[in-house]
Amino acid sequence: MLTLRSAQTLQLTPPRLLRPFSLLYLIILFISLYRFNSIQLNELIKPNSKTLNSLSFYTMASSLLQSRIPAISFSSSLSSGIQWRASAAFPAKPRRKSSPVQAKIREIFMPALSSTMTEGKIVSWIKSEGDVLSKGESVVVVESDKADMDVETFYDGILAAIVVGEGETAPVGAPIGLLAETEEEIGEAKAKAANSSSAPSTHPPAASTPPPPSAVAPPPPAKAAAPVPTDGPRKIVATPYAKKLAKQHKIDINSVVGTGPFGRITAADIEAAAGIAPSKSTIANVASVAATPAPVAAAPPPKAAANNFVEIPGSTVVPFTTMQSAVSKNMVESLSVPTFRVGYPVATDALDTLYEKVKPKGVTMTALLAKAAAMALAQHPVVNASCKDGKSFTYNSSINIAVAVAINGGLITPVLQDADKLDLYLLSQKWKELVEKARAKQLQPNEYNSGTFTLSNLGMFGVDRFDAILPPGQGAIMAVGASKPTVVADKDGFFSVKSKMLVNVTADHRVIYGADLAAFLQTFSKIVENPDSLTM
Amino acid sequence: MAVDAFAASNSIGSRSLRFCGLRREVLGFKSLSSTRLVASSPQRHLKKVSASLSENGTSSKGFDYDLVIIGAGVGGHGAALHAVEEGLKTAIIEGDVVGGTCVNRGCVPSKALLAASGRMRELQNEHHMKAFGLQVAAAGYDRQGVADHANNLASKIRSNLTNSMKALGVDILTGFGTILGPQKVKVGSTDKFDGKTVITSDHALKLEFVPDWIAIIGSGYIGLEFSDVYTALGSEVTFVEALDQLMPGFDPEIGKLAQRVLINPRKIDYHTGVFASKITPAKDGKPVTIELIDAKTKEPKDTLEVDAALIATGRAPFTKGLGLENINVETQRGFVPVDECMRVIDANGNLVPHLYCIGDANGKMMLAHAASAQGISVVEQVCGKDHVLNHLSIPAACFTHPEISMVGLTEPQAREKAEKEGFEISIAKTSFKANTKALAENEGEGLAKLIYRPDSGEILGVHIFGLHAADLIHEASNAIAMGTRIQDIKFAVHAHPTLSEVLDELFKAAKVKVSVSSPVGEPVAV
């Protein structure tokens, strides 16, 4: 869900807002913003602009967006939201200001009620569609992993449509209902609700639903088929679970032909109509005939059968932490990007000398490398670019160096923003702060998801070279190995010993080509070999 | 006796007893201070007790027994044990099997089914197991095995009850007991008992088959427990409830939460505000059909087609054949009228001497433990001690997963009372989500609610929905029975980490205006 939304957002928000870990961070973001205060809809009901999700709304790191906030938050309309999306090209002109202020249909969003909440379940709608709401009234009860909370409205209006029904689940920030200001707008809001609920991006099925099998999905067999001839106008009989599933998958139960006992519609019929794999939920009465005990043992563990992994006795399974899940998700996502790697040996004697000199002033090697990379990137903007949609280059206006840090069995990438502009000492200071915050788990989202280029250094372990996986959303990542004394021959045949380190850059070949990377590395190497510019 | 949550639906057949064959008569003389009682208890067999009590409990001259109890359900059993302890010569008359509804057709076998189905539900919940780091291969069940467990449990409890009474010297007389007159009871034959017409929870408990789709008429305790059993075993359930909302009788807030957890996410739908006017059993290849009519207008509303129907609307008292006409007592809707001390009231509004009625037969509170408490209370009175049972201190429980329990008043009842008597009430609530033990069990879903008087600290009602709620309620019910006030009980220590801390938190969350009271107040009889 978030990723889908992110994709939409990308076009008009600076890409740094949507970095690999954005999923994770959205939540943290909400906390810091809401600080567990009473949840009021004024913070949750935002203008209906699909292109703006709550993340971008609040992250606003970019000045670009910032300038537009007032217009967005208080006077948006359906149509203007759409317009804005259309004007999605990168530095969008603030044309929304000129868009007329028309209907006031506001979305009610799923609030974040706790730090660990990623999705919420609608416990109950206190109000129903068509009810007139006045400011401060409780509208809906939302269940988080911690508690149930009444959510109040900050606006007067009419509850025009309920997008996410009772018992259903929606991710934090997803619209769950629409609030119209006047009765005339109810129709419009309803149409809107119908659209959005049919679009899977705004209304994901409950988590328990098996994903649609891509290849197998049969066309809805019963839909639109001629009604089965029956004796007279037979009433439709559907089992309770079938009705629930139909509601969940928005299947019109009247269009489904029942194949169950007595022609009733069963859950399997609905699943077939919805084109999803039948759930294996039917509970087996394993031994109704031969009542011998322990009939269950015979069944092979289905999981093993599913992915052919041999189960090794004595192994333990430890589920991912949230951070690890985010890493896993990003790593799998990275497989869709065509990457290549270019390595380069860099002499570090001069850098090492400089390092000795500036070390007492609190400068770290990380800061030195980040600064060097940033300066090189300034000369090679394409390496600082990224490919968001497979069709275009996205050139980033700032150079933000993300640095991979291993932390408590996880991995996080604090970002040194505008690394090319800050001087070495400020950068070092900044880095120290970021590391402290990372340790205390207090990094703000834009402090870990706004990178445009990533640096990963395993040199301190003596690793001489490695290659890194490109985080989705960025153009390149640099893997730095250890600096080692190396015998080199110069052009006159003299041997000498110089410290060299191997850097290896992984890049997205859709936007960054071999020559780009080579040129970038050459520049980087020159900067490192003549590091005086780093201190300027 | 009573049944904890079981209601029987209909009928238990007519009890025309013929007294041919052996009949024993218990005659009572008038002894001097003869207190006699006939307690008749509920349920299927009623038990009624007529007894005469002579001084110091040695057998009275003219009477066969000090106390005769008609009906050996849980209420009769509890009364018999207490009577023996008090030194009364006691007999118990049972026309069917010892244990009554509770043990044979009610709470006991249903708990066996719930225990099995609850595990089934847990094993099927992959998400739940995964949260523990456990992996379970396809879980399945053997219907007969589950049914046998319920049966075996019932017979085991039945023999336990029988043995305990025998061991104490209670005479168990087999046959139907009929009151012939003051202090006179006849034991009839056991034939002629027709139990076949009962199609209801009695049958369902035998678990003869697990239907794909079952309609449950009534969404009270019994219906709810059965929906828990059937959905865990794979059935889909449709509730038919005459009132406008499901789970009438529960505190509304608890009912709402229970609906959210026990109904909405399961394969259950429901029709409220309708009566099942006609149920046609399956035959000739047609499903069971249930005609629904609007509860108010009586207009036909809908017809359900299901694979089975379970009637769970409550148990009827079994008071026919008791011989009540011989002592001029008229039942009201089948219930024997009694005063607050369980003394039977005759048609003229006078107390019938020496005759008491407890359990389902008096309809005060159709719960097994209530019957037993009433029986004990009666024995106390028979022995010359004043005793009035506080029914508001009797807890009730519904053994779904998770369980529901309650004692005292619901919030609306408390508000009504407060308004009438001019005091204020307050509500305190705690969540299982804040309880360490509950979280360790991955069962954080739950709520405990306390209704109390902030001016005095008196506990008016406690309602719990959550893991082991049925076991947790007793701290509150004991407090109500003892008259313990919140300001005192909140200092009691609870082991950590335990579920009982939910109640600890609850008492601590209450804001009582008086800070000190006597350590233990006087018991308050209501």
Side-chain angles (χ1 to χ4, degrees), chain A residues 293-513:
Chain A
V296 185
K303 203 177 166 213
N307 45 23
N308 289 327
F309 291 148
V310 176
E311 224 161 282
I312 294 159
S315 59
T316 55
V317 178
V318 181
F320 284 152
T321 61
T322 334
M323 185 190 275
Q324 289 161 342
S325 303
V327 170
S328 166
K329 183 175 158 289
N330 278 308
M331 291 303 94
V332 172
E333 226 166 76
S334 73
L335 294 176
S336 62
V337 176
T339 54
F340 73 111
R341 295 156 192 84
V342 175
Y344 206 100
V346 180
T348 60
D349 298 274
L351 186 72
D352 292 340
T353 315
L354 176 67
Y355 180 50
E356 287 310 314
K357 249 195 283 178
V358 294
K359 202 173 169 185
K361 295 176 190 164
V363 175
T364 61
M365 183 53 87
T366 301
L368 280 168
L369 290 170
K371 178 73 179 164
M375 288 174 68
L377 286 170
Q379 295 178 41
H380 301 272
V382 72
V383 183
N384 195 44
S386 56
C387 180
K388 309 290 189 195
D389 55 3
K391 288 183 238 161
S392 60
F393 292 78
T394 302
Y395 287 97
N396 296 305
S397 56
S398 355
I399 295 173
N400 298 339
I401 308 292
V403 184
V405 174
I407 190 162
N408 301 337
L411 172 69
I412 196 159
T413 53
V415 175
L416 287 163
Q417 297 188 2
D418 293 317
D420 58 326
K421 299 199 180 83
L422 294 182
D423 75 36
L424 195 55
Y425 305 103
L426 272 177
L427 211 54
S428 302
Q429 184 61 38
K430 187 92 193 146
W431 180 244
K432 209 176 277 171
E433 288 169 21
L434 287 172
V435 171
E436 283 307 311
K437 279 188 177 179
R439 222 171 258 148
K441 298 190 174 166
Q442 281 171 348
L443 283 177
Q444 298 297 305
N446 67 328
E447 290 175 325
Y448 49 67
N449 64 13
S450 60
T452 58
F453 179 91
T454 303
L455 192 63
S456 179
N457 182 4
L458 293 181
M460 58 287 228
F461 297 105
V463 167
D464 70 337
R465 84 197 83 176
F466 70 105
D467 65 52
I469 293 181
L470 180 64
Q474 293 186 18
I477 179 171
M478 177 185 278
V480 181
S483 175
K484 288 184 169 174
T486 311
V487 177
V488 291
D490 68 12
K491 58 182 186 249
D492 299 322
F494 290 108
F495 290 98
S496 60
V497 172
K498 287 191 188 272
S499 287
K500 290 220 162 200
M501 69 178 181
L502 284 167
V503 299
N504 193 1
V505 179
T506 305
D508 180 346
H509 207 302
R510 290 174 300 176
V511 288
I512 301 164
Y513 302 166

Side-chain angles (χ1 to χ4, degrees), chain A residues 123 143 146-148 234-235 237-241 243-244 262 264 280-281 283-287 291 296 303, chain B residues 120 124 126 138 141-143 213 232 234 236-237 260 263-264 266-269 285 287 302-303 305 307 433:
Chain A
V123 172
E143 176 190 40
K146 297 249 165 32
D148 299 346
R234 196 182 170 334
K235 79 189 233 31
V237 178
T239 71
Y241 188 45
K243 284 184 207 152
K244 267 183 197 179
F262 314 109
R264 73 170 67 125
K280 32 153 193 174
S281 64
I283 298 150
N285 175 357
V286 276
V296 185
K303 203 177 166 213
Chain B
M120 191 64 205
Q124 281 164 44
E126 248 175 73
Y141 69 91
D142 163 22
R143 183 200 53 76
W213 185 4
E236 296 181 33
V237 169
R260 238 178 64 211
I263 304 219
N264 295 347
R266 298 183 180 173
K267 297 175 181 178
I268 300 177
D269 67 354
D302 206 347
T303 304
E305 293 179 9
D307 297 323
K433 279 172 185 157

Side-chain angles (χ1 to χ4, degrees), chain A residues 62-335:
Chain A
S62 111
S63 50
L64 245 182
L65 267 180
Q66 222 148 19
S67 63
R68 286 197 220 117
I69 296 172
I72 296 159
S73 46
F74 301 115
S75 64
S76 84
S77 67
L78 273 178
S79 54
S80 61
I82 293 158
Q83 272 179 17
W84 194 19
R85 193 186 348 200
S87 68
F90 173 44
K93 289 281 164 221
R95 61 192 266 200
R96 44 181 303 86
K97 273 192 182 155
S98 62
S99 68
V101 177
Q102 350 164 306
K104 298 273 192 350
I105 295 172
R106 297 185 167 94
E107 287 185 354
I108 302 173
F109 285 81
M110 172 63 68
L113 303 176
S114 76
S115 55
T116 48
M117 176 172 171
T118 53
E119 57 175 28
K121 192 157 141 203
I122 307 293
V123 172
S124 59
W125 282 93
I126 300 167
K127 303 290 177 181
S128 34
E129 290 186 0
D131 283 2
V132 177
L133 309 179
S134 49
K135 227 164 139 170
E137 267 187 292
S138 293
V139 180
V140 59
V141 183
V142 170
E143 176 190 40
S144 74
D145 47 352
K146 297 249 165 32
D148 299 346
M149 299 186 82
D150 287 7
V151 178
E152 301 169 357
T153 172
F154 187 68
Y155 294 99
D156 293 341
I158 298 164
L159 184 57
I162 288 171
V163 180
V164 180
E166 290 184 7
E168 292 178 50
T169 302
V172 167
I176 55 178
L178 295 176
L179 191 64
E181 197 153 87
T182 62
E183 276 183 32
E184 293 81 67
E185 288 146 10
I186 292 181
E188 191 185 343
K190 283 208 156 123
K192 156 93 181 129
N195 281 344
S196 66
S197 54
S198 61
S201 62
T202 54
H203 187 233
S208 61
T209 316
S214 49
V216 200
K223 264 193 184 172
V228 170
T230 49
D231 42 333
R234 196 182 170 334
K235 79 189 233 31
I236 288 181
V237 178
T239 71
Y241 188 45
K243 284 184 207 152
K244 267 183 197 179
L245 276 179
K247 201 173 152 211
Q248 200 179 330
H249 295 292
K250 313 263 182 247
I251 300 283
D252 176 11
I253 208 145
N254 296 308
S255 67
V256 177
V257 175
T259 60
F262 314 109
R264 73 170 67 125
I265 297 164
T266 63
D269 295 328
I270 300 292
E271 279 163 346
I276 56 176
S279 57
K280 32 153 193 174
S281 64
T282 37
I283 298 150
N285 175 357
V286 276
S288 29
V289 189
T292 48
V296 185
K303 203 177 166 213
N307 45 23
N308 289 327
F309 291 148
V310 176
E311 224 161 282
I312 294 159
S315 59
T316 55
V317 178
V318 181
F320 284 152
T321 61
T322 334
M323 185 190 275
Q324 289 161 342
S325 303
V327 170
S328 166
K329 183 175 158 289
N330 278 308
M331 291 303 94
V332 172
E333 226 166 76
S334 73
L335 294 176

Side-chain angles (χ1 to χ4, degrees), chain B residues 297-468:
Chain B
T297 64
K298 312 291 178 210
E299 300 281 313
K301 277 200 82 168
D302 206 347
T303 304
L304 301 179
E305 293 179 9
V306 294
D307 297 323
L310 168 63
I311 299 157
T313 49
R315 216 156 248 284
F318 184 46
T319 49
K320 275 190 196 152
L322 271 177
L324 293 171
E325 61 285 355
N326 300 337
I327 46 168
N328 191 29
V329 171
E330 284 174 9
T331 59
Q332 294 166 359
R333 293 186 304 125
F335 295 110
V336 177
V338 294
D339 70 354
E340 81 279 1
C341 295
M342 312 302 143
R343 288 176 290 197
V344 174
I345 300 169
D346 71 13
N348 304 323
N350 300 321
L351 295 178
V352 179
H354 314 306
L355 184 66
Y356 298 77
C357 175
I358 61 168
D360 290 359
N362 70 26
K364 272 182 178 286
M365 203 178 208
M366 294 172 78
L367 298 170
H369 50 274
S372 186
Q374 290 169 355
I376 289 166
S377 174
V378 165
V379 169
E380 286 288 291
Q381 293 173 58
V382 169
C383 297
K385 299 172 211 163
D386 276 344
H387 191 273
V388 179
L389 180 64
N390 177 4
H391 281 85
L392 286 176
S393 73
I394 299 179
C398 181
F399 296 82
T400 43
H401 296 89
E403 295 170 347
I404 309 171
S405 63
M406 69 202 71
V407 64
L409 305 174
T410 63
E411 188 178 335
Q413 287 169 345
R415 292 207 180 280
E416 197 187 319
K417 187 178 179 198
E419 197 159 310
K420 218 184 285 169
E421 299 178 16
F423 59 85
E424 263 182 51
I425 62 164
S426 292
I427 309 287
K429 284 183 252 183
T430 52
S431 168
F432 278 62
K433 279 172 185 157
N435 181 275
T436 310
K437 185 73 189 303
L439 292 178
E441 301 280 348
N442 275 328
E443 302 273 5
E445 190 76 67
L447 174 78
K449 175 175 175 179
L450 167 69
I451 303 156
Y452 64 101
R453 286 182 65 156
D455 55 345
S456 64
E458 184 190 345
I459 300 171
L460 300 172
V462 172
H463 304 265
I464 310 176
F465 175 82
L467 184 63
H468 294 310

